[in-house]
Amino acid sequence: MAKPKIRIENVHKSFGELSILRGVTTSICEKEVTVIIGPSGSGKSTLLRCLNRLESINDGDIFLNDQSHSEISLQHLRQKVGMVFQSFNLFPHLTVMENLLLTPLKVQKTRKKDELIDLAHSLLTKVGMNDKADNYPHQLSGGQQQRVAIARALMMNPDVILFDEVTSALDPERVKDVLDTMKDLAKSGMTMVVVTHEMGFAKEVGDKIIFMDGGVVVEEGTPEEIFDHCKVDRTKRFLQKVL
């Protein structure tokens, strides 16, 4: 059994009177790809945002390496749990290289700039974007910007990377490049939590599938258990519509 990197215990999250997460309990294992699927409004992205405290929880607890979120500084948590967003979030006035260097230079002051530049080139090469290091975001396609965003998340050497529907805003022709980059990252042993509507990716790359609906975990298991032998009627109905 892989060791849990993140434990989520009875987590509740509400926005005013609207209850989004209603007692979510699950775990994210080290060096595995956990894929969260479900209909829109099921709480998938909210759960992801709670994992690096972009959203606070109302009840329950989340543990990183057996340490409660409440005991971890926000800066340390954000270094350990990186995130790649649907909308890229690159700074438009900075080059690709400058986007990668900005946070580590500010936060990890003990690291030398030359060392970080070398790391940035290495990561950009890894995602197939090193030839664009001096370009600005507006000079890149959506898929290229998303691959830069993945490299930027890797700059902090995180324990876990969260991916929030990172292909949903892309032209269909650009989706494959980003998914291929994520597949390569998964093969390298990175712990990943992926919210996606790409069922082919979930089946191929996921080690664990979590199906959410109505703010709860309805069913979870291996891709084979969920896609081929799911036990809950709600899961079956969802998969019949998306496969």
Side-chain angles (χ1 to χ4, degrees):
M1 282 284 291
K3 179 182 177 182
K5 175 64 69 173
I6 295 175
R7 286 187 292 117
I8 303 161
E9 296 188 355
N10 195 31
V11 165
H12 292 255
K13 173 64 181 177
S14 298
F15 294 101
E17 296 296 315
L18 184 62
S19 181
I20 305 298
L21 300 177
R22 300 186 294 118
V24 173
T25 296
T26 188
S27 60
I28 309 300
C29 287
E30 191 169 14
K31 296 185 178 181
E32 289 189 350
V33 179
T34 299
V35 182
I36 306 176
I37 63 173
S40 297
S42 59
K44 306 183 302 294
S45 292
T46 298
L47 178 60
L48 211 64
R49 292 171 68 86
C50 289
L51 296 184
N52 74 343
R53 271 169 45 198
L54 282 170
E55 298 289 352
S56 60
I57 62 176
N58 298 112
D59 200 6
D61 209 345
I62 300 173
F63 298 84
L64 174 66
N65 297 323
D66 292 326
Q67 187 176 15
S68 171
H69 268 201
S70 61
E71 300 171 354
I72 307 172
S73 72
L74 185 59
Q75 180 174 304
H76 181 71
L77 181 69
R78 296 275 172 83
Q79 290 183 57
K80 292 299 181 183
V81 183
M83 190 160 184
V84 182
F85 299 88
Q86 175 182 334
S87 56
F88 323 137
N89 287 5
L90 299 177
F91 292 103
H93 63 292
L94 300 179
T95 66
V96 165
M97 177 61 70
E98 289 167 343
N99 265 282
L100 265 66
L101 294 177
L102 181 64
T103 300
L105 282 174
K106 281 190 172 183
V107 174
Q108 299 175 325
K109 298 183 184 296
T110 58
R111 298 173 76 181
K112 296 179 180 178
K113 186 173 182 179
D114 288 348
E115 171 193 334
L116 290 170
I117 290 173
D118 288 344
L119 174 61
H121 280 300
S122 174
L123 293 173
L124 287 171
T125 298
K126 190 172 188 175
V127 301
M129 292 297 297
N130 196 40
D131 62 327
K132 306 294 186 182
D134 296 324
N135 286 44
Y136 288 88
H138 74 271
Q139 297 173 307
L140 307 177
S141 70
Q144 289 173 327
Q145 289 187 61
Q146 198 59 285
R147 283 186 281 158
V148 170
I150 292 172
R152 182 178 61 178
L154 290 168
M155 282 293 293
M156 302 299 286
N157 191 29
D159 288 352
V160 183
I161 297 189
L162 314 175
F163 296 85
D164 189 12
E165 299 189 24
V166 296
T167 60
S168 61
L170 299 180
D171 184 289
E173 293 182 347
R174 305 298 179 189
V175 169
K176 183 178 182 299
D177 291 338
V178 174
L179 292 180
D180 285 346
T181 299
M182 293 169 66
K183 289 175 187 177
D184 290 342
L185 197 56
K187 290 174 186 175
S188 74
M190 172 60 69
T191 305
M192 299 164 59
V193 188
V194 183
V195 168
T196 186
H197 294 292
E198 300 286 343
M199 295 299 133
F201 174 87
K203 292 176 74 170
E204 179 184 352
V205 182
D207 296 298
K208 176 181 179 179
I209 309 297
I210 296 174
F211 172 63
M212 291 185 66
D213 189 30
V216 300
V217 174
V218 176
E219 191 170 2
E220 60 181 73
T222 65
E224 182 181 7
E225 288 169 339
I226 298 301
F227 288 106
D228 300 329
H229 305 290
C230 63
K231 299 173 182 176
V232 181
D233 285 342
R234 179 66 188 97
T235 312
K236 292 177 184 177
R237 294 198 306 273
F238 172 76
L239 292 175
Q240 285 169 356
K241 290 183 177 180
V242 299
L243 292 178

